[in-house]
Amino acid sequence: MPLQEHHSKPLIEVTRGTLTESVHRGHIAVVDTAGSLIASAGSPDYYTYARSAAKLLQAIPLVESGGAARLGLTEAETALCCASHGGEPRHTEAARSLLAKAGCDESALRCGPQEPMYAPAADMLKAGGQPATALHNNCSGKHAGMLALAQVMGVSIHQYTDPGHPVQQKMLAAVADMCGVPQSGITLGTDGCGVPVFGVPIAALALAYARLGSPRGLPAERAEACRRIVESIRHQPYYVAGTARFDTALVEATGGRIIGKFGAEGVYAAAVPELGLGLALKIEDGAERAIYPAAAEALLQLGALRPEEAAKLAAFHRPPVYNRRGDIVGEIRPVFRLTRP
């Protein structure tokens, strides 16, 4: 796709002392379940890869098919299918259990080994002289879920990452349907873990999350799958991310009223079921440090995130900038206002 013409907005400033040292620009779209634009910043039609924000949508075929129930997946294992987890021991144990229920073991995973994202877990491996494995990969739950879907569908588990594999075709169809775009309107790339990744307008990703959180208008099987996925994350938020992670902290701070999912290269998506809204954002330069302040501020401006909940998320909403001695020398702060049509 050629370089897009768009009008981005400054979303986040990084200060040091009295100066603004850096600015992160981007785009935000908030839509309802009918796809109507409720609020925005920048260009709501900005086209980008959903990256790991698509994982909740990719989990739908396994649950919708009845496969999750047939295999006896727990809520923790269902949440792990949606995760970019930290590679902590409970994450790898759940991934191993999920694989066993799918009739597989770690050797079937094609996501590749990855050092745990949670630094203490990585340090623990190093201290024990143990190598990182595919189970530690932040996407191992998603891949285990794909293997489980292949078993439920009765298709080969080999080459399950290929775009033409029946598992990937099933997931492409679910993403397209939830986003309200034709499959031909989705640009496919290859994600960091080797599976297809989906390029869509951020307003379409927001629509998918609105429908995920408030699925009343969807077919019965799809609606029930969405409810089960949301409930699994509400009840087991640790398994969708982990210790000191925003996705987990957001669910915990709001009592599950809001669920959200990080995606690489500056992507975030959230569902607000009680308001029937979905939110998606893209930080243009891909900076992770700008994602969570922008997401928390947008949710606060919408009235979805309450002030006392935002206070619990202060370390993500307005994180300080430290020097090497641990002194606070600046701040990462939101500077945008959502506009309404």
Side-chain angles (χ1 to χ4, degrees):
M1 173 171 285
L3 187 65
Q4 302 175 70
E5 291 186 10
H6 52 77
H7 302 286
S8 62
K9 286 282 189 181
L11 299 181
I12 301 295
E13 289 182 349
V14 183
T15 68
R16 185 176 297 271
T18 59
L19 293 181
T20 295
E21 192 168 42
S22 300
V23 177
H24 299 288
R25 303 177 68 90
H27 311 272
I28 301 173
V30 181
V31 305
D32 62 18
T33 55
S36 299
L37 185 68
I38 303 301
S40 65
S43 298
D45 58 350
Y46 187 83
Y47 198 99
T48 192
Y49 287 118
R51 300 300 300 266
S52 287
K55 286 178 176 175
L56 279 68
L57 311 178
Q58 290 170 288
I60 288 173
L62 176 59
V63 181
E64 184 178 43
S65 67
R70 194 183 320 164
L71 296 175
L73 299 195
T74 65
E75 287 189 323
E77 290 161 353
T78 302
L80 195 80
C81 290
C82 307
S84 298
H85 64 74
E88 299 174 58
R90 283 196 286 161
H91 295 140
T92 57
E93 290 165 11
R96 189 177 286 109
S97 173
L98 205 167
L99 284 168
K101 290 177 179 180
C104 300
D105 60 25
E106 180 186 344
S107 66
L109 292 172
R110 293 177 57 84
C111 52
Q114 178 189 14
E115 186 173 283
M117 293 172 66
Y118 183 55
D123 292 343
M124 185 171 65
L125 282 181
K126 292 172 185 175
Q130 299 176 322
T133 71
L135 287 173
H136 298 99
N137 188 303
N138 80 95
C139 297
S140 65
K142 176 178 74 174
H143 279 249
M146 291 175 176
L147 289 164
L149 179 58
Q151 298 286 34
V152 168
M153 293 175 65
V155 299
S156 172
I157 64 169
H158 301 295
Q159 307 301 320
Y160 73 89
T161 62
D162 289 355
H165 191 279
V167 163
Q168 298 304 332
Q169 288 294 301
K170 202 80 164 173
M171 291 185 174
L172 172 61
V175 170
D177 188 56
M178 292 293 287
C179 289
V181 298
Q183 293 185 34
S184 61
I186 294 178
T187 299
L188 294 181
T190 304
D191 215 332
C193 63
V195 298
V197 62
F198 314 98
V200 295
I202 60 168
L205 181 58
L207 172 60
Y209 268 71
R211 290 172 166 173
L212 181 74
S214 304
R216 288 181 296 275
L218 301 180
E221 293 83 3
R222 174 66 52 86
E224 182 55 32
C226 291
R227 292 187 191 101
R228 179 165 179 178
I229 289 166
V230 169
E231 286 302 303
S232 294
I233 294 171
R234 277 177 174 158
H235 296 157
Q236 299 288 344
Y238 170 82
Y239 287 92
V240 80
T243 303
R245 296 281 299 283
F246 182 72
D247 293 351
T248 295
L250 179 63
V251 177
E252 292 175 341
T254 64
R257 291 188 308 99
I258 305 173
I259 64 163
K261 184 68 189 69
F262 151 86
E265 295 298 327
V267 175
Y268 203 80
V272 190
E274 67 182 1
L275 300 180
L277 298 179
L279 173 149
L281 67 83
K282 166 69 176 180
I283 305 298
E284 276 198 6
D285 64 9
E288 184 175 352
R289 69 178 178 178
I291 299 173
Y292 310 125
E297 178 65 20
L299 291 166
L300 186 62
Q301 290 185 27
L302 288 169
L305 187 66
R306 298 165 183 164
E308 64 272 19
E309 295 166 344
K312 295 178 183 177
L313 297 169
F316 300 99
H317 184 203
R318 301 179 74 94
V321 174
Y322 296 98
N323 67 11
R324 300 289 183 188
R325 297 188 316 219
D327 305 322
I328 295 176
V329 296
E331 183 181 39
I332 302 174
R333 65 188 186 194
V335 293
F336 65 91
R337 296 297 303 176
L338 292 174
T339 60
R340 298 179 184 262

